[in-house]
Amino acid sequence: MSDPERAMLLSVHPRFANAILAGSKTVEVRRQRVAAPPGTPVLLYATAPTMAVVGMARIAAVHVATPSEVWSAHRGRTGITRREYDAYMSGATQASGLTMENPVSFEEPVTLNALRSAGSFHPPQSYRYMKGAELRQVAVAGPVVGTALREALGDMVPA
């Protein structure tokens, strides 16, 4: 069960954001332990050159283990090659595989400029959790995102 007032903001390269939203990439990997319960909404922030919140999904499961164990369990669903994975995980002792479900692509992505004009906004290097005022700021910056967040999180995001 997800925290009813929390969503994850996940920074991903546009290639991976598109693959998640298309359903061809169902596992996102991270170099650190991610402790997000199943059902957590995930806003996908596509990094440069896109620089926008482009869609959302939900976390179905999180697998935390060694990098080799995460690769063995999820390799075909990560959307990357073994060489890319090994380069990304170089030096890491722990990895997380976030299984994503129910991807929704936003018809109108919310640009970094729009997010910043609605208030102080800084995309994360990897990911961070958003609550309350910060989620409301994103909802105000992008009406389509606001609708999706209200469906995912309920009344805590204003109309």
Side-chain angles (χ1 to χ4, degrees):
M1 186 56 108
S2 66
D3 179 337
E5 295 185 357
R6 182 171 87 161
M8 177 186 281
L9 178 63
L10 186 67
S11 288
V12 291
H13 290 284
R15 164 186 159 202
F16 302 131
N18 292 335
I20 290 167
L21 294 171
S24 60
K25 176 180 173 61
T26 58
V27 175
E28 175 64 17
V29 293
R30 294 292 147 147
R31 292 175 46 92
Q32 66 273 6
R33 181 180 188 281
V34 175
T40 299
V42 177
L43 288 170
L44 298 170
Y45 177 82
T47 59
T50 304
M51 299 189 304
V53 175
V54 296
M56 69 184 292
R58 283 196 180 271
I59 292 178
V62 177
H63 178 204
V64 179
T66 66
S68 62
E69 290 169 330
V70 169
W71 177 258
S72 293
H74 304 289
R75 65 177 153 248
R77 299 181 293 145
T78 62
I80 58 176
T81 66
R82 180 64 192 252
R83 177 174 279 164
E84 289 172 309
Y85 183 82
D86 287 345
Y88 175 65
M89 289 293 171
S90 179
T93 57
Q94 201 172 66
S96 295
L98 286 67
T99 301
M100 304 288 207
E101 64 183 2
N102 305 325
V104 176
S105 185
F106 296 147
E107 290 180 27
E108 300 172 30
V110 184
T111 66
L112 181 57
N113 286 340
L115 290 162
R116 286 186 171 158
S117 69
S120 176
F121 180 85
H122 302 285
Q125 186 72 23
S126 178
Y127 74 94
R128 69 180 156 101
Y129 296 104
M130 299 172 67
K131 294 178 95 170
E134 198 170 30
L135 284 170
R136 287 188 286 279
Q137 173 187 333
V138 172
V140 168
V144 172
V145 178
T147 299
L149 283 171
R150 279 187 292 286
E151 289 173 7
L153 299 169
D155 294 338
M156 60 139 323
V157 180

